[in-house]
Amino acid sequence: MNDTLAYSLVNLPVCSNERSRSCSLVAGCACIAHCTDCRLDLGLNCLVAVLGLLVSSDALDLGLDVCHVLLSLAKIFCGVNLREQSKTLSVWLLSSKHRGRMTWLHSSINEVYLSPRARSALEPSLTDQDQIRNFCIIAHIDHGKSTLADRMLQLTGIVDDRQMRAQYLDRMDIERERGITIKSQAVRLPWEFNNETFALNMIDTPGHVDFTYEVSRSLAACEGAVLLVDAAQGIEAQTLANLYLAMENDLEIIPVLNKIDLPAAQTEKYAEELANLIGGSPDDCLRVSGKTGVGVEELLDRIVQRVPAPKGDINAPARAMIFDSVYDSYRGVVTYVRMIDGRLSSREQIQMMSTRAVHELLEIGVISPEPVVTKGLSAGEVGYLITGVKDVRLSKVGDTVTTKDKPATVSLKGYAEPKPMVFSGIYPIDGSDYPNLREALDKLRLSDASLVYEPETSAALGFGFRCGFLGLLHLEIITERLEREFNLSLIATAPSVVYQVTREDNTEFIVTNPSEFPEGKIKVVKEPIVKATILSPKDYVGTIMDLCQTRRGTMIDMQYLGEDRVQLRYQLPLAEIVFDFFDQLKSKTQGYGSLDYEEAGYLPGDLVKVDLLLQGEKVDAFSSIVHKDKAYGHGTKITAKLRELIPRQQFEVPIQAAVGSRIIARESVRAVRKDVLAKCYGGDISRKRKLLEKQKEGKKRMKMVGRVEVPQDAFIKALSSDETSSTEKKK
């Protein structure tokens, strides 16, 4: 009977009409559903028959019948491992001329019943360390980390298909809108390999250079890393930076080529580049598609095989590393930890080793991908803790958590404090929002360890905070989060870097704000320098060199990574790249260029402070520190911009840019004139002259006692980068 059924299904496509095919399919479906003792070869034959039928037919009702057959097969083969057969089917599907139509079916086959989902997840706190794998996904921005993570969530079955959405692990609206990951997200995945169940703790990381500190923290909590490379774009600057970070942490690296479904994919070429970079054979590079799910199973198997299990001492006193924290308005501080040694249980008294603060463990669990409450966490596992703490300073990232009754004596190494690269003043438009701004920054400080701030006062803007950021994207994200999440209206001053200024009397100053620049004779001004790595096709080498030279860059070296890709390393002042260097690089290389940079100390520079004067009075908010050769151009641009933004007064307003006591640029806002002679009809000229002289005296008196009112939107527009403003005008 089995052979007959298989034969009839295989020969379905030769049926004379669609009605007879449909009837045969329905009959076959019912028959298969009642065959509980069928063999695997029958099942495979049935599957091939259905796939061949779908390729050869365009009828909608027939396609529905095919789906019924597939569902019946899924019921029969529940728990049966058809992975080897599925690989053959995957190759057949992707090589078919109906490739576009078959993509959804291929993913359904892998996800519904050919995927080796674990029948039951391992219970946290009772999981053997040999069954745990901790890994993270690292890559350049927009190479598909979050999409690959989505497919892993689907394949492992912890997210239902109805609840699935793109960028599932990205919690913030701003992440979804921009299509970028800002915060690392940890999730526990069950997976079965060789009939053994494993717990995979995966961390999805950001790709932008501003958030490298997030990547470094994630790497410290793992034993392995999936190095993802876009098969259409190849190795880029941040790919190399993340690879070196993983090597420093001595992690097992699994090279993966993503987006193999794209027409522009060059898998063989970039597999060879990856192999040359890491070592090994191009065949070791896995080919996957985060969009369709092709090759993701093999990747999960490779992770189980290659990534070493954690080696913590489960009998030692408990030690857990805090690698991330978020603030929840209902539950307080949610702390994410990686257990190194020992065990933590619910309702246990825990202690923070840096502050010696003691808290009761109200809730403990894992993220899968929503919080799942457990009895505890043991060595090697990743999870979260809730203590009910509301003070954000009591749960510091990098701190070690232990128990009060049996505390550990030696704390874990922790993380290096992230150093802010760019400083900017953030002020509330409404002065009464100052306490709310302070509270909002306190809450964000918990979830973002790199955010540094201190109170600041400006004569023009009032009370605010001087904040340190890792880059312009970081500044933009923080400002937008403050406005969205805490309903604040803010002004951000022009970003500036940290300078070291020495006067002639050898007094040294650290200048984070141009208004702090010391008066008097300056001996030397040192500015921060970065080592920038630029990757680009070789056709744009001349353009990139020209761009770097205009930004006072010095070439270090140049290397060819392949036949058509080149790596340039430059020494550049940080102030020259924080504004629009990346945008200019992308523009001049038609989007192919990529940038990564790291700190390289301080070097003396020929720098001056450019002040802006309104009616002879300095306005600190508009002050800036620029190179001497660019001072005149900067002064001309800022005065011209303010002339358009400041409304006309009853008197003429001079706008001046000055270096020290020397005026380098000037613009004037013309006075509003009233026609005082409107009511004079003829008469003596002396009467008219007398009225004009009287008006002139009044304006002079007004100018002496009056103040220039600068609207708030003028600060926002004037303090934005000049290049951005000019671009907006063109649009």
Side-chain angles (χ1 to χ4, degrees):
M1 176 187 172
N2 291 343
D3 293 337
T4 305
L5 180 60
Y7 180 80
S8 62
L9 282 171
V10 169
N11 287 279
L12 272 176
V14 299
C15 294
S16 58
N17 56 61
E18 290 179 2
R19 185 174 293 277
S20 60
R21 293 184 197 176
S22 181
C23 292
S24 301
L25 267 175
V26 173
C29 176
C31 189
I32 292 171
H34 290 90
C35 288
T36 56
D37 60 342
C38 61
R39 304 191 312 271
L40 290 182
D41 57 345
L42 170 65
L44 187 60
N45 289 336
C46 295
L47 188 60
V48 172
V50 170
L51 293 175
L53 182 63
L54 186 63
V55 169
S56 62
S57 174
D58 293 319
L60 179 62
D61 58 343
L62 199 56
L64 293 174
D65 291 333
V66 169
C67 292
H68 287 304
V69 175
L70 289 176
L71 288 174
S72 300
L73 289 171
K75 291 178 182 178
I76 293 172
F77 300 137
C78 182
V80 177
N81 195 346
L82 290 178
R83 301 192 67 195
E84 293 302 319
Q85 292 89 335
S86 73
K87 291 179 182 178
T88 306
L89 291 172
S90 299
V91 173
W92 182 80
L93 285 171
L94 292 176
S95 61
S96 169
K97 63 180 180 179
H98 300 272
R99 178 177 176 179
R101 295 174 56 195
M102 305 305 291
T103 300
W104 68 271
L105 184 59
H106 173 266
S107 59
S108 299
I109 291 167
N110 279 329
E111 293 169 14
V112 176
Y113 60 91
L114 293 180
S115 175
R117 293 180 178 176
R119 296 175 181 84
S120 61
L122 298 171
E123 187 178 348
S125 80
L126 300 176
T127 306
D128 189 3
Q129 289 189 78
D130 292 335
Q131 295 174 292
I132 299 174
R133 301 291 185 269
N134 299 318
F135 72 98
C136 61
I137 306 173
I138 55 175
H140 191 81
I141 190 170
D142 201 31
H143 276 209
K145 296 181 294 298
S146 297
T147 307
L148 180 62
D150 290 345
R151 296 294 76 75
M152 288 181 176
L153 295 179
Q154 279 186 296
L155 280 174
T156 54
I158 63 170
V159 178
D160 191 81
D161 290 339
R162 294 172 297 176
Q163 299 175 334
M164 194 63 203
R165 61 177 186 266
Q167 293 180 261
Y168 191 91
L169 295 177
D170 292 340
R171 307 294 185 184
M172 292 183 282
D173 293 337
I174 190 171
E175 291 180 308
R176 300 185 180 283
E177 290 170 11
R178 293 171 175 256
I180 60 173
T181 300
I182 299 167
K183 287 292 296 176
S184 297
Q185 298 291 342
V187 62
R188 183 180 173 111
L189 310 171
W191 189 248
E192 192 168 291
F193 179 72
N194 288 342
N195 297 322
E196 186 180 359
T197 304
F198 292 85
L200 310 182
N201 293 312
M202 177 199 62
I203 303 178
D204 182 24
T205 63
H208 197 277
V209 62
D210 283 9
F211 304 110
T212 302
Y213 75 98
E214 287 272 356
V215 180
S216 63
R217 289 186 349 211
S218 303
L219 290 169
C222 299
E223 281 81 32
V226 174
L227 182 66
L228 206 63
V229 174
D230 190 331
Q233 298 184 54
I235 298 168
E236 301 202 51
Q238 199 61 27
T239 310
L240 292 175
N242 290 336
L243 172 63
Y244 297 148
L245 280 174
M247 287 179 172
E248 287 176 10
N249 285 270
D250 199 23
L251 301 189
E252 179 68 33
I253 297 166
I254 301 174
V256 177
L257 285 173
N258 192 25
K259 304 185 184 181
I260 61 170
D261 56 311
L262 294 180
Q266 303 179 59
T267 54
E268 299 305 321
K269 175 185 174 183
Y270 295 128
E272 191 172 344
E273 282 190 13
L274 262 175
N276 293 334
L277 186 65
I278 299 173
S281 168
D283 297 333
D284 296 335
C285 298
L286 291 174
R287 280 76 161 170
V288 307
S289 171
K291 186 177 181 181
T292 63
V294 177
V296 180
E297 289 181 21
E298 288 79 3
L299 173 58
L300 290 169
D301 289 346
R302 185 72 62 87
I303 290 168
V304 172
Q305 292 173 300
R306 294 271 302 274
V307 175
K311 302 296 182 185
D313 187 356
I314 197 166
N315 298 315
R319 292 196 301 171
M321 172 70 78
I322 301 177
F323 69 89
D324 202 3
S325 296
V326 294
Y327 184 84
D328 189 282
S329 53
Y330 298 101
R331 300 187 295 174
V333 177
V334 182
T335 305
Y336 295 97
V337 297
R338 155 72 195 273
M339 292 296 300
I340 305 298
D341 298 320
R343 190 190 305 269
L344 289 176
S345 305
S346 181
R347 295 296 172 181
E348 196 172 10
Q349 296 283 325
I350 61 170
Q351 187 178 54
M352 305 294 177
M353 293 192 69
S354 66
T355 60
R356 299 296 176 186
V358 178
H359 312 286
E360 185 181 358
L361 199 54
L362 302 178
E363 186 179 316
I364 187 169
V366 296
I367 306 294
S368 186
E370 303 301 326
V372 178
V373 181
T374 64
K375 296 178 182 178
L377 292 173
S378 59
E381 294 185 311
V382 177
Y384 72 93
L385 313 173
I386 295 177
T387 59
V389 171
K390 300 291 184 183
D391 189 352
V392 297
R393 290 179 288 271
L394 295 179
S395 187
K396 185 183 176 185
V397 171
D399 200 356
T400 305
V401 180
T402 187
T403 57
K404 182 188 175 185
D405 298 334
K406 191 181 176 183
T409 55
V410 181
S411 61
L412 297 168
K413 184 179 178 183
Y415 306 108
E417 291 288 335
K419 296 180 181 178
M421 307 281 278
V422 176
F423 285 83
S424 175
I426 294 180
Y427 296 85
I429 291 178
D430 186 356
S432 60
D433 283 337
Y434 177 76
N436 299 333
L437 177 59
R438 178 189 290 275
E439 186 181 349
L441 285 169
D442 282 344
K443 290 178 180 178
L444 281 186
R445 176 77 171 85
L446 174 68
S447 58
D448 192 343
S450 64
L451 180 61
V452 178
Y453 57 91
E454 60 181 16
E456 184 181 60
T457 307
S458 168
L461 301 175
F463 293 99
F465 292 91
R466 192 72 183 171
C467 304
F469 305 95
L470 298 173
L472 283 197
L473 179 64
H474 190 210
L475 185 157
E476 194 177 336
I477 294 295
I478 290 294
T479 307
E480 195 163 342
R481 286 186 68 185
L482 287 169
E483 290 178 344
R484 285 191 182 194
E485 297 175 19
F486 303 97
N487 198 25
L488 296 169
S489 298
L490 305 171
I491 294 174
T493 63
S496 64
V497 299
V498 183
Y499 297 96
Q500 296 177 355
V501 183
T502 306
R503 289 188 3 186
E504 285 196 342
D505 58 357
N506 292 327
T507 309
E508 294 185 355
F509 298 86
I510 303 296
V511 177
T512 59
N513 190 346
S515 61
E516 300 171 355
F517 200 89
E519 301 290 338
K521 292 187 177 182
I522 305 300
K523 183 178 180 181
V524 65
V525 180
K526 293 183 179 180
E527 61 180 338
I529 302 295
V530 297
K531 286 182 180 177
T533 303
I534 302 170
L535 266 71
S536 164
K538 64 179 181 182
D539 300 338
Y540 303 103
V541 170
T543 309
I544 294 170
M545 285 182 174
D546 184 55
L547 174 64
C548 292
Q549 284 172 4
T550 58
R551 302 301 177 100
R552 301 190 283 130
T554 306
M555 178 179 275
I556 300 173
D557 59 30
M558 183 173 70
Q559 295 179 352
Y560 280 86
L561 299 180
E563 293 181 1
D564 57 349
R565 291 179 69 80
V566 65
Q567 173 184 293
L568 295 107
R569 293 174 69 232
Y570 267 87
Q571 183 175 279
L572 287 157
L574 179 61
E576 296 287 348
I577 67 170
V578 293
F579 281 104
D580 67 327
F581 183 84
F582 186 69
D583 296 335
Q584 290 289 319
L585 177 66
K586 285 289 184 184
S587 174
K588 292 181 183 294
T589 60
Q590 298 182 354
Y592 289 107
S594 61
L595 170 72
D596 179 57
Y597 59 86
E598 59 180 9
E599 295 179 78
Y602 283 77
L603 285 178
D606 198 0
L607 305 169
V608 293
K609 178 189 177 188
V610 178
D611 292 309
L612 193 111
L613 287 74
L614 284 180
Q615 207 177 334
E617 293 183 7
K618 290 182 182 180
V619 183
D620 290 341
F622 294 120
S623 298
S624 56
I625 300 171
V626 298
H627 192 264
K628 189 177 180 180
D629 296 340
K630 297 184 178 182
Y632 175 74
H634 175 79
T636 306
K637 285 179 182 178
I638 194 74
T639 52
K641 191 185 290 187
L642 282 175
R643 183 172 65 92
E644 299 172 2
L645 296 172
I646 294 176
R648 293 171 70 179
Q649 315 282 322
Q650 293 289 332
F651 49 90
E652 185 179 327
V653 178
I655 305 169
Q656 299 168 310
V659 175
S661 58
R662 184 167 60 91
I663 305 297
I664 59 172
R666 173 184 169 123
E667 295 282 351
S668 296
V669 179
R670 291 176 58 194
V672 177
R673 289 199 63 181
K674 182 182 178 183
D675 190 1
V676 294
L677 306 180
K679 295 181 180 180
C680 296
Y681 300 99
D684 188 8
I685 188 67
S686 61
R687 172 64 180 162
K688 294 181 180 179
R689 193 172 287 128
K690 186 177 179 181
L691 285 171
L692 291 171
E693 289 294 328
K694 191 175 180 181
Q695 184 189 40
K696 191 175 178 181
E697 287 293 327
K699 285 186 180 291
K700 189 183 288 185
R701 200 180 313 113
M702 198 183 293
K703 188 174 181 179
M704 290 170 63
V705 299
R707 289 190 65 208
V708 181
E709 295 295 329
V710 183
Q712 295 285 3
D713 62 336
F715 284 100
I716 301 170
K717 293 176 181 177
L719 294 172
S720 61
S721 66
D722 299 321
E723 290 78 6
T724 305
S725 306
S726 61
T727 308
E728 289 173 357
K729 280 182 187 177
K730 290 176 185 176
K731 289 180 183 178

